[in-house]
Amino acid sequence: MTARYRIADDVAWVSEDGLDVGDVPTAYLARVPRGMPIMLEGSGCVVWLALAEGGTLEEVTAAAAAMSDADPDQISADVADLVDQLVVIGVVRED
Amino acid sequence: MTQEADARTAPVAARVHLAHAVVQKLAEDRGIDLLHLKGPAVLPGLRAEGRQSSDVDVLVRPSHLPRLVTALESVGFEQRTDFATGSVFAHAANWWHDDWGWVDVHTSWPGVGVDAEVAFDVFARTRVQVPIAHWDCPVPDRTAQRLILVLHAARSGGTTDVDHAWTAADPGEQEDVRRLARELDAEVALAAGIGELDLHRHHPTYRLWRYFTEGGSRLDEWRARLAAAGTARARAELLGAALRVNRDHLRMELGRPPTREEVRARQRLRVRRATDELASRVRRR
């Protein structure tokens, strides 16, 4: 069965949409109540916003590519790396 | 393409949003009743666009305060002011966290006259959920938020909040706010916020709200507070506090705990200021 990824239940986050700061897409997140704040900038933020919709790695990659006008094949390895890191630190769940 | 980094330098707005979620999660885990106020908790249209808050404000059910204090301190918040020294109304205290900044915990709202536990029930019974940092947080409904913002403006000055929360409301909405103010015994404070204070000239708190809206000397403030104090005991406590140094504020001013000598020096200054102010009034007469 293909794994699906989503933001973990204990994560609060805010992106520039809610902050109106700067030109670089940025998301700030934390596992609440004890986690430290984490910042995702640029393409990292784009992948995070794609993860907010949830989906398989292919779906997340496609959503990130659509948001950033990129070729899914060219970014898939980087997206997979970032998603892996986010799973390791517990802010993304793999179901 | 990954730029994951420690975000301790996150903009204030981001920290405030996340801090609301931190406090809400603590409340959920421990069955603590609280409402989020001001900043990102304000419902759309009730505040000027783009206005940002630098701290988190919550109103906690007074009987749940000890649980909230334990919860906050369990994740690293440190208390910096207590309820006696936090404000004129002894209604709030502050906690600080290196990642999340300031949290102001209110057990009552200045201007509300009914018992704080009852007031919390009134504010909470029509609460609505607002996502802050994608975390559902209970906030007062639109009518209660209008009242809260106007009462805050009455105490703190400034008309921007009143413009949005009161002047822009239609007559029906304003009547809803007046009805809520009557239920909460907050009519004098509401009147102070919307320019109708003179309708309450004979109320014990009239001078206090006039001081907040029009300003005055420290002596004016204390005379107004004495007039508003309901009992002889309350007046005696106020007189004692008038000349006592606020150690919490001195600590914040210095950025470290004050020494005994610094407290004494500030004490001497307070007494001298009070004496000078009194003398200048006598000379004017």
Side-chain angles (χ1 to χ4, degrees):
Chain A
M1 198 174 101
T2 307
R4 296 185 64 82
Y5 297 89
R6 62 180 175 85
I7 294 172
D9 292 337
D10 64 349
V11 171
W13 64 278
V14 62
S15 66
E16 81 281 3
D17 285 345
L19 301 173
D20 193 26
V21 294
D23 295 329
V24 180
T26 309
Y28 297 91
L29 48 129
R31 297 182 71 183
V32 295
R34 295 180 183 276
M36 285 175 57
I38 295 165
M39 179 175 67
L40 293 170
E41 271 188 316
S43 49
C45 175
V46 171
V47 172
W48 182 260
L49 295 175
L51 280 163
E53 302 298 317
T56 65
L57 196 54
E58 288 69 29
E59 289 167 339
V60 170
T61 302
M67 278 189 260
S68 54
D69 229 4
D71 180 344
D73 290 337
Q74 289 189 328
I75 66 169
S76 60
D78 287 333
V79 171
D81 279 350
L82 177 58
V83 170
D84 271 351
Q85 290 175 41
L86 297 173
V87 169
V88 167
I89 63 174
V91 296
V92 167
R93 276 205 55 168
E94 179 181 347
D95 294 326
Chain B
M1 70 180 272
T2 66
Q3 298 105 9
E4 178 192 331
D6 176 6
R8 284 197 161 191
T9 56
V12 171
R15 285 200 289 128
V16 169
H17 279 71
L18 292 172
H20 273 282
V22 169
V23 176
Q24 180 56 30
K25 175 69 165 126
L26 291 170
E28 289 167 8
D29 288 349
R30 291 162 175 81
I32 297 164
D33 293 341
L34 57 76
L35 296 167
H36 299 254
L37 308 175
K38 301 184 0 187
V42 174
L43 293 167
L46 294 184
R47 213 165 204 197
E49 288 294 322
R51 185 153 170 201
Q52 292 182 343
S53 193
S54 59
D55 56 15
V56 169
D57 288 276
V58 293
L59 178 68
V60 64
R61 179 184 292 285
S63 56
H64 290 186
L65 176 65
R67 271 190 270 165
L68 180 59
V69 171
T70 301
L72 288 171
E73 294 180 353
S74 75
V75 296
F77 280 93
E78 296 173 4
Q79 187 167 5
R80 293 295 171 85
T81 66
D82 64 28
F83 285 86
T85 59
S87 84
V88 168
F89 292 93
H91 71 293
N94 309 107
W95 275 260
W96 168 262
H97 191 288
D98 287 342
D99 289 330
W100 308 125
W102 292 102
V103 171
D104 290 356
V105 176
H106 304 253
T107 52
S108 61
W109 198 251
V112 171
V114 300
D115 173 77
E117 194 86 10
V118 173
F120 184 89
D121 281 332
V122 171
F123 283 130
R125 75 183 173 209
T126 53
R127 67 187 177 276
V128 295
Q129 299 287 331
V130 165
I132 303 175
H134 294 83
W135 201 275
D136 277 347
C137 296
V139 306
D141 75 353
R142 190 165 285 273
T143 299
Q145 290 208 12
R146 288 186 193 281
L147 179 61
I148 285 168
L149 289 168
V150 173
L151 297 189
H152 180 68
R155 184 171 63 93
S156 309
T159 57
T160 309
D161 280 349
V162 177
D163 290 345
H164 285 80
W166 177 259
T167 312
D170 65 40
E173 291 169 327
Q174 290 183 350
E175 183 49 41
D176 290 342
V177 176
R178 289 184 191 276
R179 194 177 302 118
L180 181 61
R182 281 194 292 275
E183 182 176 4
L184 291 168
D185 189 19
E187 290 169 286
V188 181
L190 173 64
I194 61 176
E196 298 178 358
L197 185 57
D198 276 352
L199 297 175
H200 301 270
R201 293 188 75 87
H202 302 296
H203 194 279
T205 62
Y206 167 78
R207 285 167 70 164
L208 188 60
W209 289 103
R210 195 182 66 177
Y211 168 78
F212 285 126
T213 52
E214 297 177 8
S217 69
R218 289 280 292 169
L219 195 58
D220 291 330
E221 178 192 349
W222 283 98
R223 288 171 65 190
R225 289 174 65 176
L226 282 169
T231 64
R233 182 175 177 180
R235 284 192 286 275
E237 285 174 0
L238 270 174
L239 281 171
L243 295 175
R244 216 161 33 234
V245 169
N246 185 330
R247 286 170 183 264
D248 293 333
H249 287 177
L250 187 55
R251 174 190 167 139
M252 284 192 282
E253 191 180 313
L254 297 170
R256 56 174 169 73
T259 64
R260 190 175 294 180
E261 184 47 42
E262 285 168 335
V263 172
R264 282 187 187 140
R266 185 57 61 93
Q267 184 73 61
R268 286 193 292 273
L269 185 64
R270 280 179 77 89
V271 171
R272 194 163 64 239
R273 276 184 186 157
T275 308
D276 291 349
E277 199 168 282
L278 204 57
S280 73
R281 286 190 168 241
V282 170
R283 278 196 300 273
R284 281 204 300 270
R285 284 181 180 172

